[in-house]
Amino acid sequence: MTQTRGAVIVGASSGIGEALARKLADEGYEIGLAARRTERMREIGNELPTKSYVATMDVTDTEDARAGFFELAEAMGSVDLVVLNAGVGPFNPKLEWEAERRTVDVNVRGFVALATAAMEYFETVGREDHSSELDGHLVGISSVAAHFGGGGVQAYCASKAFVSTYLEGLRARQRGADSNVSITTVEPGYVDTELSMGDFWECSPETAAKQIARAIRTEKTHVYVTRRWRLVAWALDLTPNWLLRRLL
C-alpha cells in the first residue's frame, strides 16, 4: 500500500502558492495550506481533489509560525515536502523604514524560522516515518532579483539573495548530515502575481507551478522559472558592477 504524501505550502492563499497547491494535489499530495487569509485557504482547500488542512500563519511572528508549522505537520500525520513561498516586495525608493522592516521580517526572518522548523521536522520525524530514501524535501521560492540590487526594491533583492545563499548553505550542510533531505532553490522571473514588477517574459502562476512541480519530482537543486530566465541571471552575474549601475 502506497503511503500518502503530504506537502505544506507556506504562502498558499494566492499566486504561485495557490497554483502549486492545486498542482501538487492533482499529483496526489495531501496539502497543508499556511498563510494569513484563513477563509481564502479554506476555499482553496475545498476545491482540491485530496485532503487539505489549513493553518492561519503570520511568518513575522516567528515563534507562533514555528509552533503552527509543527501543529500542522502533526495534524497531517506525515509531511514529505515543505514549500516556503511567503514573501513581500514593496517598491520603496524613499527608504521608508516600515516597508524595509516588513520585507526583512517576512522574506528573511520568517523564511529562516520556517526553514529551520522544516529541517528539524525532516531530521527527526521524517527519518522515522518516510518509507522512501528521502527524509524530506525543502523548496524555497527565491527570485532572479537575487542576482542584482535594484533601486527602490533594494530590500527585496537583498532578501532574495539571502534566501538563495541560505538554501545553498543548507545543501552544503547536508553533505555532512546523517539525514537525507533534498533542497531546491526556485528563482522565478516575472510571474503574473501581486508581486510582479514587469511583464517581460511573464508567465502565469499555473506555468510556474508546473515547472516547480517538475523540479520537485526530479529533485533539482536549482531551477529558474521560466527556464529562459537563467540567461538573464547569468548575464547579471557576468556584467561588471559599473555597467549594472548604469542599466538598473
Side-chain angles (χ1 to χ4, degrees):
M1 184 175 179
T2 304
Q3 183 179 6
T4 301
R5 296 175 296 173
V8 169
I9 302 176
V10 180
S13 61
S14 63
I16 293 175
E18 176 185 348
L20 188 57
R22 297 182 187 278
K23 176 63 178 174
L24 292 176
D26 286 342
E27 295 186 0
Y29 282 89
E30 292 187 351
I31 305 296
L33 302 153
R36 290 183 301 162
R37 293 189 286 174
T38 308
E39 289 307 314
R40 178 57 188 151
M41 289 189 293
R42 287 174 178 163
E43 291 174 5
I44 295 169
N46 289 335
E47 295 170 355
L48 299 181
T50 56
K51 192 172 182 179
S52 64
Y53 304 77
V54 169
T56 304
M57 183 180 294
D58 181 352
V59 300
T60 64
D61 187 345
T62 53
E63 292 307 313
D64 186 69
R66 284 174 57 85
F69 169 82
F70 288 114
E71 289 173 5
L72 177 60
E74 183 177 3
M76 293 177 68
S78 179
V79 174
D80 305 82
L81 170 67
V82 175
V83 180
L84 301 182
N85 176 64
V88 296
F91 183 61
N92 187 28
K94 294 183 179 181
L95 294 182
E96 295 176 359
W97 165 237
E98 177 58 26
E100 300 292 90
R101 182 197 63 77
R102 177 161 177 76
T103 301
V104 172
D105 280 351
V106 174
N107 297 4
V108 177
R109 291 181 64 252
F111 173 82
V112 175
L114 273 301
T116 52
M119 293 299 291
E120 180 181 336
Y121 174 85
F122 289 145
E123 292 175 352
T124 53
V125 179
R127 296 187 67 190
E128 299 172 358
D129 287 357
H130 295 165
S131 58
S132 67
E133 294 182 359
L134 277 182
D135 296 317
H137 193 159
L138 174 65
V139 177
I141 308 299
S142 179
S143 172
V144 172
H147 295 263
F148 68 97
V153 287
Q154 55 283 323
Y156 177 78
C157 295
S159 69
K160 291 305 182 180
F162 178 92
V163 168
S164 292
T165 304
Y166 192 85
L167 292 169
E168 182 181 350
L170 289 183
R171 281 192 293 273
R173 176 180 176 272
Q174 274 296 292
R175 290 195 288 270
D178 293 331
S179 59
N180 183 17
V181 180
S182 184
I183 299 168
T184 299
T185 304
V186 180
E187 292 188 349
Y190 294 136
V191 181
D192 187 13
T193 69
E194 295 176 357
L195 289 182
S196 184
M197 300 174 187
D199 56 9
F200 174 72
W201 283 351
E202 186 177 68
C203 73
S204 68
E206 290 72 25
T207 296
K210 182 178 179 180
Q211 294 193 9
I212 294 168
R214 183 187 302 122
I216 291 168
R217 287 195 302 273
T218 56
E219 297 176 18
K220 292 282 189 181
T221 58
H222 191 284
V223 63
Y224 295 100
V225 176
T226 57
R227 286 172 289 182
R228 65 180 69 179
W229 278 94
R230 77 181 65 182
L231 302 175
V232 175
W234 291 346
L236 289 168
D237 291 341
L238 293 172
T239 302
N241 286 334
W242 65 266
L243 182 55
L244 279 178
R245 287 196 297 270
R246 288 174 176 265
L247 296 175
L248 300 175

